[in-house]
Amino acid sequence: ALLYNSPRTATVCAKSDCALWSIDRRDFREITCQFKLKHMEITMDFLKRVKVGDDVLGEVLNASEIYNIALATQRDTYQEGDVIVKEGEHGENFY
């Protein structure tokens, strides 16, 4: 409900005495906005330093292009031994 400014879709009842922490919509939105901005800043700083061959993206692309790449990135995690890219496969992702 906080994310989409919509009515709640469930009812929650206490099964026993409890203490509950809450956060109001305005503070929730402020915190998530700050997180998104910080995350974008970190991603863009990283992308500016990425080397492709002998070139560094921050020297080849302008801020708007790096921003657009940052918007499209997503974080993936892998375990030791996981195959990330397999020779001969059709490429769908840029790593």
Side-chain angles (χ1 to χ4, degrees):
L2 280 178
L3 288 174
Y4 303 109
N5 196 23
S6 61
R8 299 195 185 279
T9 59
T11 298
V12 177
C13 298
K15 293 252 183 193
S16 63
D17 292 346
C18 63
L20 186 65
W21 292 80
S22 68
I23 186 169
D24 65 41
R25 180 184 316 278
R26 187 193 56 146
D27 290 338
F28 176 80
R29 289 193 180 273
E30 179 67 25
I31 291 166
T32 56
C33 184
Q34 287 176 11
F35 174 79
K36 288 176 185 178
L37 288 172
K38 184 65 175 173
H39 184 268
M40 180 60 76
E41 179 183 302
I42 291 168
T43 302
M44 288 182 66
D45 287 344
F46 169 76
L47 289 171
K48 289 176 187 176
R49 296 184 314 235
V50 170
K51 287 186 77 171
V52 178
D54 293 332
D55 297 319
V56 178
L57 288 184
E59 297 171 0
V60 177
L61 302 175
N62 64 42
S64 176
E65 292 167 323
I66 291 174
Y67 177 80
N68 287 331
I69 292 171
L71 283 175
T73 61
Q74 65 183 34
R75 184 179 192 159
D76 293 326
T77 57
Y78 299 92
Q79 300 297 315
E80 183 177 341
D82 288 351
V83 176
I84 298 169
V85 176
K86 187 173 183 179
E87 184 178 354
E89 279 186 337
H90 179 70
E92 294 291 330
N93 296 314
F94 174 78
Y95 293 94

